[in-house]
């Protein structure tokens, strides 16, 4: 079975600074990977996804993530954050080739301050 | 939002009472999911459906049942609510293949 580890439960950062949110997964077979964002009191919104092809994936709101198969990682990055990026971010994994279930990490709270 | 509504959005109930949460979609997606979100646990899958009358258990299914009699509706029932079921419940819909999912706004359930 697949699993996801988000090593940082909270990441504080100043506005306009770069940020990286870490995600590692475990699976013996090929996977699809996702990052979701949850703003306060809202549902989850898809930020970006890796299915195949280029390992650098660009998403909405200036975020990008890089799939690294050898390190089984899918870290999320943004070169310059804004106050409005304050939210909880979830990494998720599912097995390829089937309509199988998503497994989520426990989330990383990104807190952007002035 | 991708045409998903949940009702009610907030509910307070007493221990031992039955509770039903409803998820409604207008996207005609085949797959529907129920998750619960708790601090420190992220989202955990309760049950999911891969078609009308076709459902299966997730990782935290004990104490919950589901039904799907129409493509657009997926009901989650707590047969006898307990305080450990106090949580925020999210419904999601998805397509086959890549399993990209779209989430509803959530229902905050408090069991006293």
């Amino acid at each position: 079975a697949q699993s996801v580890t988000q090593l940082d439960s909270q990441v504080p950062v100043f506005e306009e600074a770069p940020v990286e949110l870490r995600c590692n997964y475990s699976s013996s077979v090929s996977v699809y990977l996702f990052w979701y964002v949850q703003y306060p009191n809202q549902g989850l919104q898809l930020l970006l996804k890796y299915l195949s092809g280029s390992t650098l994936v660009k998403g909405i709101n200036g975020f990008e993530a890089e799939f690294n198969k050898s390190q089984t990682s899918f870290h999320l990055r943004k070169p310059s954050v804004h106050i409005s990026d304050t939210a909880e971010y979830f990494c998720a994994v599912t097995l390829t080739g089937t309509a199988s279930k998503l497994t989520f990490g426990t989330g990383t709270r990104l807190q952007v301050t002035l | 939002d991708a045409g998903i509504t949940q009702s009610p959005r907030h509910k307070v109930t007493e221990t031992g009472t039955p509770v039903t949460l409803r998820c409604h979609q207008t996207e005609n997606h085949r797959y529907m999911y129920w998750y619960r979100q708790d601090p420190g646990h992220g989202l955990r899958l309760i049950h999911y459906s891969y078609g009308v009358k076709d459902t299966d258990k997730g990782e935290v299914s004990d104490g919950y049942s589901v039904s799907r009699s129409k493509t657009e509706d997926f009901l989650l029932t707590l047969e006898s609510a307990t305080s450990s079921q106090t949580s925020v419940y999210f419904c999601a819909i998805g397509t086959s293949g890549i399993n990209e999912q779209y989430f509803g706004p959530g229902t905050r359930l408090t069991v006293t």
Side-chain angles (χ1 to χ4, degrees):
Chain A
Q2 67 271 29
S3 65
V4 176
T5 302
Q6 292 183 246
L7 295 168
D8 306 303
S9 59
Q10 295 186 59
V11 173
V13 63
F14 290 111
E15 193 176 37
E16 298 184 5
V19 70
E20 178 180 84
L21 306 183
R22 296 180 293 170
C23 172
N24 287 89
Y25 69 93
S26 174
S27 175
S28 58
V29 297
S30 295
V31 297
Y32 296 136
L33 293 154
F34 305 83
W35 275 99
Y36 285 84
V37 60
Q38 184 181 31
Y39 299 105
N41 299 313
Q42 294 187 25
L44 278 71
Q45 178 183 357
L46 182 66
L47 264 182
L48 49 79
K49 60 191 177 189
Y50 172 78
L51 305 179
S52 65
S54 173
T55 57
L56 184 62
V57 179
K58 294 188 183 299
I60 62 172
N61 300 338
F63 283 93
E64 63 181 32
E66 186 158 19
F67 171 61
N68 188 318
K69 188 174 182 179
S70 63
Q71 297 186 6
T72 60
S73 68
F74 190 54
H75 300 333
L76 181 70
R77 301 186 184 101
K78 187 170 183 178
S80 176
V81 296
H82 300 285
I83 291 286
S84 60
D85 292 323
T86 294
E88 187 132 24
Y89 292 79
F90 293 94
C91 182
V93 63
T94 189
L95 303 180
T96 65
T98 68
S100 57
K101 299 158 281 187
L102 280 175
T103 298
F104 284 87
T106 52
T108 297
R109 170 78 176 165
L110 177 64
Q111 182 67 50
V112 182
T113 55
L114 295 172
Chain B
D1 292 338
I4 311 168
T5 57
Q6 293 185 230
S7 59
R9 294 293 314 278
H10 301 270
K11 185 170 183 66
V12 179
T13 191
E14 293 184 349
T15 298
T17 60
V19 176
T20 295
L21 309 182
R22 179 180 183 241
C23 177
H24 179 79
Q25 62 150 328
T26 59
E27 305 296 320
N28 201 36
H29 281 351
R30 177 181 175 188
Y31 295 88
M32 298 185 75
Y33 307 82
W34 276 108
Y35 294 89
R36 60 178 289 172
Q37 183 177 27
D38 304 289
H41 291 277
L43 278 83
R44 293 179 291 174
L45 183 65
I46 305 171
H47 282 280
Y48 68 104
S49 169
Y50 46 96
V52 173
K53 299 189 188 304
D54 292 322
T55 64
D56 204 351
K57 296 179 180 180
E59 63 177 299
V60 290
S61 59
D62 288 348
Y64 302 94
S65 62
V66 291
S67 65
R68 191 170 178 199
S69 59
K70 299 184 291 185
T71 298
E72 57 267 33
D73 289 324
F74 192 33
L75 304 181
L76 176 71
T77 297
L78 290 65
E79 304 289 349
S80 177
T82 67
S83 58
S84 64
Q85 294 176 311
T86 291
S87 186
V88 181
Y89 290 86
F90 286 100
C91 173
I93 62 175
T95 57
S96 60
I98 63 173
N99 203 30
E100 182 173 325
Q101 294 183 20
Y102 304 93
F103 285 78
T107 294
R108 184 173 296 275
L109 176 67
T110 302
V111 183
T112 61

